[in-house]
Amino acid sequence: MSFFIRKNQRGAKRSNGAAVTGRPKTYKEKKRLAHDDEISSHSEGENDDSRVYTESEEDEETVQEKRLRLTKEYIQEIENQERMRREEQDIDKSVIAHRLKEDLLEQSGRLRRTVADSYEKIDEALIRHLHCKDHKQPITCLTISPDCQSLFTASKDCTIVKWCLVDFKKSAVIKRVDKKTSSEVKGHKSVVQSLSISSDGKFLASGDLDNQIHIWDPITMKWMHTFRGHRAGITGLVFRRGTHTLYSASMDRTVKIWNLDEMSYVETLLGHQDAITSIDALNKERAITAGGRDNSLRVWKIPEESQLIFNGHQGSIDCVRLINEDHFVSCGDDGMLSLWGSQKKKPLCSVAGAHGMDASNNQAFWISSVAALTNTDLIASGSQDGFIRLWKCGDNFRTLTPLLSVPICGFVNSLAFSSDGKMLIAGLGQEHRLGRWWRNGSAKNEIVIIPLKQRETS
Amino acid sequence: MSKKWQVKNIVDEASDIEETEEEGKNEESSEEDELSGLDIPETKLPVLRSIHNERNEDADKLAIREELSALTFEELQKLKEKIGSKKFNQTLTGVKKKPQVKTDFKRANPNRPREISSKSRKIETKVAVQVPKVFRSDPRFDNLCGEFRERSFYRNYDFVNKMKEDEVKKLKEELREETQPRRIEKIKYLIQRMENQIRAVKKRKLEEEKQEEEKRITIEALKEGKSPYFATKWARKERDLKEKFETLKEEGRLNQYMAKKRKHNAQRDRRHMPSDHY
């Protein structure tokens, strides 16, 4: 019985028949995987750590045996997990097969799940609002820890607050510092515009408009390091998943790469012609940035030291998020929400005036934030029209259909899905996160947690 | 720059990053740029400072590594922080990524995104707002305007003269009602000018008529089979004088004119008379 479904799909011959794992190990397997993905970089050492390729026959036996043992353990683990989930005694082999297949696809970045249709209408009574006296000014950015236990938010009053997502209470604060506070107390002097947490929950990075990136320990909220190197304010921070590499985007039009294992600066990427407004990354050694008014989105292929340029939008591109390794969504101040594919330089699908028209100046509402549930077809966008809109990406990401709307009050400055898809968290404010063109007095500077419920499928 | 950001001196700071458009200059100066602001004393890294990125040879590599080994750990750390750990490791191990760094990025079809290097400090000269460039051409020297033909020109723009005549009338009316001295001067000047121009036009038309008359005579002569008529200068002068005499007589200014002429001629003749001064 082959757990390795790829065998039938590709009709590929296996060199060593007994080796069955979810991860491609030999060079040939990797090459076949990369065949479809035409923009992949062959230099990637994604699965480098566990590669054992020996020539001597005696060694091969023991290696194969070891692999067999590990695979059996892995499958046993999956069985136990599935058993706990389903509370059944007997587990169907197909369930495990499905799970393995999913894991494989996720590893190679080709997982696609269509879950958008299964989401029910949101019960407004279950929406939680979080306030605190440290966030008196509009929330600018937020990030959810990978285990969905804590939430980190930052606001225009230069503070960072840690919330517990179990009891929905504030657990820690990093206060604002100024000239008077001693140099031992660490904090931010100016507005914090970006936050990011690493995928193992070991580092929290925050960047402000004073060209500094502070690294904190998310559990104790203690200062670890400061990176100085940018020449202008930092507008975006993102960790590469599964690593301790930090990508930072700044208003000086550069992207800088930092290695947190050694706490050092690695390199700079140049190319944008306007201040970078947003950055995102997934598992691959790639980052995507939105370049504001130069109307370009750039995908940085870091090992190859090159960039791919995508053109679109008429106004400034304000936010970009990766949906999966090949597709991404962007929003701008022209009111457009665009879906992109990595193979085409223009958007695959664009929705103009996605949040309606502003009656006061007859222009489309600026879409200030967008979030995507990774590897699925669900997207959320936020603006100042009083709704957070959920969209479904249909049919190979070529269409965008509105799904649900959640009524909220204020400017949606930041949106994030929790990794299990159960929550959508929005950071609201009375003003836009970048400036003070409007002020909505009736709104509150708060964090809104929207529980998402999926319809039970039989 | 983006309108949203409260930027202090970003343009000045950005211009410090020596964004020149000459490629050669870029490659040469990029290493120097990166080492500027480094705390290590000048004497310590002569080869590394003077080296050009692209023209690295094995001998130079060894020299760099020797230099690096002479530095203290603190200084090494500073250097690493300045140029980035990726480049630092490359210089240490002497490995230069050749097969992966593509110099010629070709895409499969034009719908694919454009690919360029992420390391060049060259600014792409693409302007956000495209202002149409105005090309001006002087019709006198432009080949597209063709050769100048006087007769056609005058015929085409004859309507302007009619407009001038109308405007003179209007100006005269304005002059009657105008009180400001400056404005009166201007109007008088304009009227004088326009009337002069009108008179010149009329004169030119008369000349043209005369030429056409000659041509007509020639054509008729040819029709009858005789030789063409060529007018001499004296014939033309005689004809002109005759015409003048006729017009003056009609208008009654003949006596006045003759008196003036006599006086003028007398003056001229007096020049040739012997004078009393010796």
Side-chain angles (χ1 to χ4, degrees), chain A residues 11 29 161 225 280 284-285 313 344 369 442 446:
Chain A
E29 290 161 33
V161 171
H225 197 262
D280 198 19
K284 280 193 185 171
E285 203 174 347
H313 280 278
K344 212 175 147 203
S369 60
S442 58
E446 60 188 3

Side-chain angles (χ1 to χ4, degrees), chain A residues 6-8 12 32 36 46 113 150 161 210 231 237 250 308-309 322 327 354 377 409 418 425 432:
Chain A
R6 265 181 68 254
K7 187 177 178 179
N8 297 329
R32 261 183 247 112
D36 264 351
E46 279 174 308
R113 281 185 280 139
S150 34
V161 171
D210 229 2
R231 295 218 191 169
L237 283 172
S250 155
L308 297 168
I309 305 173
L322 287 168
H327 297 93
D377 54 354
C409 193
S418 65
I425 305 186
H432 195 279

Side-chain angles (χ1 to χ4, degrees), chain A residues 245-261:
Chain A
T245 318
L246 175 68
Y247 302 137
S248 67
S250 155
M251 281 153 56
D252 62 4
R253 298 174 247 143
T254 61
V255 175
K256 285 195 196 268
I257 303 172
W258 314 87
N259 184 347
L260 293 202
D261 288 323

Side-chain angles (χ1 to χ4, degrees), chain A residues 38 43 209 231-232 235 251 253 262 264-270 273-274 293 300-303 305-310 316 318 333 342-345 366 434 437, chain B residues 1-5 7-8 10 13-14 16-17 19 80-86 97 100-101 105 107 110-121 124 126:
Chain A
E38 285 170 55
S43 67
L209 293 185
R231 295 218 191 169
T235 55
M251 281 153 56
R253 298 174 247 143
E262 297 163 21
S264 66
Y265 155 70
V266 179
E267 57 177 338
T268 307
L269 305 172
L270 306 155
Q273 277 148 32
D274 189 16
R293 282 199 187 272
W300 305 90
K301 287 152 77 175
I302 293 152
E305 293 186 0
S306 74
Q307 54 181 296
L308 297 168
I309 305 173
F310 297 82
S316 170
D318 278 346
D333 72 354
S342 58
Q343 309 286 62
K344 212 175 147 203
K345 68 179 179 191
W366 299 0
L434 299 170
W437 299 277
Chain B
M1 295 301 288
S2 172
K3 62 171 180 176
K4 293 179 193 153
W5 302 100
V7 171
K8 283 179 261 177
I10 183 63
E13 287 182 18
D16 287 348
I17 316 172
E19 286 161 332
K80 187 174 177 179
E81 245 170 71
K82 189 72 196 177
I83 62 172
S85 59
K86 188 174 176 182
K97 278 185 159 189
Q100 280 144 3
V101 177
F105 300 105
R107 48 188 171 177
N111 292 328
R112 292 279 180 90
R114 194 163 48 106
E115 190 165 358
I116 58 173
S117 157
S118 67
K119 291 293 186 172
S120 59
R121 284 175 190 261
E124 271 184 32
K126 194 192 105 172

Side-chain angles (χ1 to χ4, degrees), chain A residues 182-221:
Chain A
S182 69
S183 58
E184 282 153 17
V185 178
K186 299 286 178 183
H188 284 283
K189 284 194 193 118
S190 68
V191 178
V192 179
Q193 282 288 350
S194 50
L195 275 180
S196 181
I197 190 164
S198 64
S199 57
D200 55 2
K202 288 229 172 80
F203 297 105
L204 173 72
S206 61
D208 61 4
L209 293 185
D210 229 2
N211 323 353
Q212 282 180 345
I213 304 172
H214 285 300
I215 310 291
W216 315 88
D217 177 13
I219 305 158
T220 58
M221 292 306 263

